[in-house]
Amino acid sequence: MALGPLELLTGVNGHARANVVDEKAIAATIAHRPAALDASKLKYTFADTLKPVPPPESLVFGQVMTDYMLVANFDPQNGWSAPEIKPYAPLTLDPTSSCFHYCTNVFEGMKAFLGPDGKARLFRPELNVARLARSAERTALPPFDEKAVLSLIKSLVKLESRWIPKPSGYSMYIRPTIIGTRPSIGVTASDSAMLFVVMTPTGPYFRTPTALSLLAVGESVRSWPGGTGGHKLGANYASGFLPQQMAAQQGYQQCLWLIGENVTEAGAMNFFVVLKRDDGDLDLVTPPLDGTILPGLTRDSCLSLAAAHPSKTTLHGLPNVRLHTHERPFTMRDLAAWCADGKLLEAFGAGTAVIIAPVGRIGYEGKDLVLPQHKGAYGPVTRALWERIVDIQQGRVEWEGWSALCE
Amino acid sequence: MALGPLELLTGVNGHARANVVDEKAIAATIAHRPAALDASKLKYTFADTLKPVPPPESLVFGQVMTDYMLVANFDPQNGWSAPEIKPYAPLTLDPTSSCFHYCTNVFEGMKAFLGPDGKARLFRPELNVARLARSAERTALPPFDEKAVLSLIKSLVKLESRWIPKPSGYSMYIRPTIIGTRPSIGVTASDSAMLFVVMTPTGPYFRTPTALSLLAVGESVRSWPGGTGGHKLGANYASGFLPQQMAAQQGYQQCLWLIGENVTEAGAMNFFVVLKRDDGDLDLVTPPLDGTILPGLTRDSCLSLAAAHPSKTTLHGLPNVRLHTHERPFTMRDLAAWCADGKLLEAFGAGTAVIIAPVGRIGYEGKDLVLPQHKGAYGPVTRALWERIVDIQQGRVEWEGWSALCE
């Protein structure tokens, strides 16, 4: 087993550091404050030629990136560099950079939409930027000004708005990323970083509406108490690909991640079930944010909209039904019992890329839990939430300022 | 929350794939077998000028990299490229590469030593390469020929042997790394990869012998049953830096990682304790390889040498003592009880970089467990194992072929 001794070497004589106030070091820190990320310093470098935008119907996610990217670098001497929007290009990095070895990498997924006014808009983007900041903190990456990052993302989206496909259900996917760039293999936090944002136009998740098949996986565990599953770290994803391949070999599209018997997430989506209550209302249930679950924006939006229905707003197709929202643990055994009792009406995954995806069956311990089938795959609650979120995202319905113009 | 829909889009119509044999696909796979990694195709590109090798006493780990690096690339069409030894240089990668987003990155830590014959040698290198292969498999990275990788590493070390410092306790640290290079942000396994090996000359871990201070950490959990702690994934390290900084702020050099009350690893080292037995012999105890613990080479070497003493070999300074080896779980409560009873004689961390590092105190729940202090920091078992391993690594003592010449 290998570890880089740098921080140990430097720490060797640090036995008595606790409770010892080094006034010189404090003074030096105050005198040398690295520069904050400053959106007003944004520089533009323009491309000589621009790529043709492919017709929407030909789009495959991630296959075509837009013309420009945003980049800003942090180093401990200078702090954040002036951010730059420049032609999309490869990154050049020392082979010892932290990002390759210790995976000090965090990211976000966002989407830009064209409103009926033809203006580019984002969906609750301040929540993405706040989560990116929390992810960076959890990985001991340099902090950044959240408002500056949001302003820079808006500048990039505005410049590239010709890339946002017009048809409903289409969008431009945005990938803000921060990677550790400390050029040394010592096992210690990355004191240097690169923030970059790249974008790709994308079509609807499903060309034809389809209910997902999930394989419940308990042998490989995606997240755990005290781990990083509640943050958006790149490191959370590496362990999922082998189980995902094994699920695909068995004919399932995604994994349903378990901790013990408890259900956590589906693929890279939050997981919801809709249950029939004895009083005729419905329960909308999703696992709680206990640190093992990513606090998804779409998850939060589903819970908020369901709680607002029908008192503050009426979701389409659900005129006479109340939705009671619950964030509480449930197990595969619960799912099977609800299914057997006829209580489990719908299940769906929720996330930025998919928005909302209905679930049709769940494999567990060699058997399939077959969920109620719905015409067009979406059950009434799944469809109502999906429709409303898309309407808000695309600026057709205003709701609590969730759709933010890039101006 | 974001996920890349590529694998879902492609998998949408794959409901009935299980148990369906696609004979055309199998035939195509057999016909198109990507090239294996072939050490005989190694190309050399030589530098115009070579760097001066710094004097050994000035070495700081990872600060100076050697002149050359080894690189080979895998893509699904062509398989492994011809490997190349070329001047050390930055990597150029698409911003969407898997390594930045999904942390499909694995690595190894090895050391090269100069023997009394002046020849470069490695320590049990076939175990590093086998572990690298297992790590790549766990991360769904492309497989490689282990013998080819070992041969290529030996070629690089041989070319760069002028960089191996001569003094005892010095070595050249070797970092074989595989990163996912699939240039797409779809959340799926990386079907492309880059293998690279970089090297840095390094001095002894401690300039003066010192007993480590550890802070036992249970709130942040490094690994978990069903997780990837038993593999050498870069993704295992990202979560450790924040707790490590918090430990440093409290005056401790490394974290002692707990799962519940159970002790797992110390920093990035395996953890051992030496206990007095009622019959006058000693127990050497380390947590078992249950999937949460990295199977360290130094760990394995300690267990093997202790088991061989005194029947097959006699460790220095332990003429009349038998060492009983145990791989079994133990808790912080056990450590405290053993300490209070006077049974806990020594504790140490074991890993490639540190080799063996004595532990002097362990902070837990606001108190310090102060371990027996030894002259020169190393207790007799800690010192005997350290001395023997260094003797074998540097070719002064032959033991079961553990020291492999780079020829």
Side-chain angles (χ1 to χ4, degrees), chain B residues 39-110:
Chain B
S40 74
K41 291 188 177 160
L42 177 61
K43 297 182 292 187
Y44 287 83
T45 303
F46 291 103
D48 292 334
T49 55
L50 297 180
K51 291 186 266 190
V53 174
E57 61 278 8
S58 75
L59 291 172
V60 174
F61 181 87
Q63 206 170 59
V64 181
M65 305 308 289
T66 69
D67 290 294
Y68 291 98
M69 64 192 298
L70 171 78
V71 178
N73 286 289
F74 181 96
D75 72 68
Q77 280 68 50
N78 301 302
W80 284 103
S81 68
E84 187 180 5
I85 287 177
K86 61 178 194 176
Y88 185 91
L91 310 180
T92 300
L93 290 158
D94 193 275
T96 59
S97 300
S98 300
C99 57
F100 300 128
H101 302 269
Y102 309 122
C103 297
T104 48
N105 307 332
V106 300
F107 69 91
E108 279 298 318
M110 307 167 70

Side-chain angles (χ1 to χ4, degrees), chain A residues 112-177:
Chain A
F113 307 87
L114 276 191
D117 53 7
K119 290 180 182 168
R121 43 185 75 226
L122 301 170
F123 182 67
R124 309 182 77 186
E126 68 285 355
L127 297 185
N128 289 103
V129 175
R131 190 171 61 184
L132 187 67
R134 290 196 305 275
S135 299
E137 185 183 20
R138 182 62 186 87
T139 323
L141 283 166
F144 56 85
D145 185 282
E146 293 178 33
K147 284 193 180 126
V149 167
L150 181 52
S151 163
L152 292 166
I153 290 172
K154 286 183 173 178
S155 297
L156 181 65
V157 169
K158 205 176 164 194
L159 176 68
E160 293 281 67
S161 57
R162 74 184 187 103
W163 282 92
I164 307 176
K166 286 196 179 62
S168 180
Y170 286 67
S171 61
M172 182 168 66
Y173 183 87
I174 307 164
R175 174 55 61 90
T177 311

Side-chain angles (χ1 to χ4, degrees), chain B residues 17-354:
Chain B
R17 278 190 305 192
N19 306 320
V20 175
V21 177
D22 184 338
E23 292 186 4
K24 270 192 195 167
I26 291 172
T29 303
I30 290 169
H32 176 76
R33 195 177 290 227
L37 185 63
D38 185 348
S40 74
K41 291 188 177 160
L42 177 61
K43 297 182 292 187
Y44 287 83
T45 303
F46 291 103
D48 292 334
T49 55
L50 297 180
K51 291 186 266 190
V53 174
E57 61 278 8
S58 75
L59 291 172
V60 174
F61 181 87
Q63 206 170 59
V64 181
M65 305 308 289
T66 69
D67 290 294
Y68 291 98
M69 64 192 298
L70 171 78
V71 178
N73 286 289
F74 181 96
D75 72 68
Q77 280 68 50
N78 301 302
W80 284 103
S81 68
E84 187 180 5
I85 287 177
K86 61 178 194 176
Y88 185 91
L91 310 180
T92 300
L93 290 158
D94 193 275
T96 59
S97 300
S98 300
C99 57
F100 300 128
H101 302 269
Y102 309 122
C103 297
T104 48
N105 307 332
V106 300
F107 69 91
E108 279 298 318
M110 307 167 70
K111 280 177 171 175
F113 307 88
L114 276 190
D117 53 7
K119 290 179 182 168
R121 44 185 75 225
L122 301 169
F123 182 66
R124 310 182 76 187
E126 68 286 355
L127 297 185
N128 289 102
V129 175
R131 190 171 60 184
L132 187 67
R134 289 197 304 275
S135 299
E137 186 184 19
R138 182 64 186 84
T139 323
L141 282 167
F144 57 84
D145 183 284
E146 293 178 33
K147 284 193 180 125
V149 167
L150 182 52
S151 163
L152 292 166
I153 291 172
K154 286 182 173 179
S155 297
L156 181 66
V157 169
K158 204 177 165 191
L159 176 69
E160 293 282 67
S161 58
R162 73 185 189 102
W163 282 93
I164 307 176
K166 287 195 179 60
S168 180
Y170 286 67
S171 61
M172 183 168 66
Y173 183 87
I174 307 164
R175 174 56 61 91
T177 311
I178 307 178
I179 60 173
T181 54
R182 180 171 184 268
S184 171
I185 53 176
V187 181
T188 192
S190 185
D191 59 6
S192 304
M194 179 189 291
L195 162 72
F196 65 86
V197 183
V198 294
M199 308 196 297
T200 176
T202 180
Y205 213 79
F206 298 110
R207 281 139 205 238
T208 51
T210 314
L212 276 178
S213 57
L214 305 177
L215 178 64
V217 173
E219 314 81 60
S220 288
V221 179
R222 191 197 79 92
S223 65
W224 189 260
T228 57
H231 294 84
K232 202 152 182 72
L233 269 55
N236 293 340
Y237 293 78
S239 66
F241 296 126
L242 188 65
Q244 161 69 24
Q245 287 180 340
M246 293 162 76
Q249 278 164 10
Q250 295 177 56
Y252 299 91
Q253 292 164 288
Q254 289 283 318
C255 296
L256 181 64
W257 299 110
L258 307 180
I259 299 180
E261 269 247 327
N262 275 35
V263 172
T264 66
E265 294 187 25
M269 302 173 288
N270 290 120
F271 185 71
F272 283 85
V273 290
V274 179
L275 303 176
K276 187 159 65 181
R277 290 161 57 107
D278 293 338
D279 63 6
D281 288 353
L282 299 176
D283 283 327
L284 180 69
V285 189
T286 193
L289 300 181
D290 61 358
T292 68
I293 308 274
L294 193 78
L297 264 71
T298 314
R299 175 187 183 280
D300 181 81
S301 303
C302 288
L303 290 171
S304 296
L305 288 169
H309 169 89
S311 58
K312 291 164 93 182
T313 188
T314 305
L315 298 175
H316 183 73
L318 302 173
N320 300 313
V321 187
R322 279 191 61 185
L323 295 169
H324 301 261
T325 60
H326 306 272
E327 299 176 71
R328 65 168 192 234
F330 55 88
T331 64
M332 282 307 301
R333 207 173 297 249
D334 292 330
L335 281 186
W338 293 332
C339 225
D341 295 351
K343 280 188 181 171
L344 180 51
L345 303 180
E346 305 176 42
F348 61 88
T352 292
V354 75

Side-chain angles (χ1 to χ4, degrees), chain A residues 1-78:
Chain A
M1 49 172 304
L3 80 173
L6 189 61
E7 90 288 2
L8 261 180
L9 272 177
T10 54
V12 158
N13 301 314
H15 265 125
R17 280 189 302 194
N19 307 319
V20 175
V21 176
D22 184 339
E23 292 185 4
K24 271 192 196 166
I26 292 172
T29 303
I30 292 171
H32 177 76
R33 196 176 289 228
L37 185 63
D38 185 348
S40 74
K41 291 189 177 158
L42 176 61
K43 297 182 293 187
Y44 286 84
T45 303
F46 291 104
D48 292 332
T49 54
L50 298 180
K51 290 186 266 191
V53 175
E57 60 277 11
S58 75
L59 291 172
V60 174
F61 181 87
Q63 205 170 58
V64 181
M65 306 306 289
T66 69
D67 290 293
Y68 291 97
M69 64 192 297
L70 171 80
V71 179
N73 287 289
F74 181 96
D75 71 69
Q77 281 69 49
N78 302 302

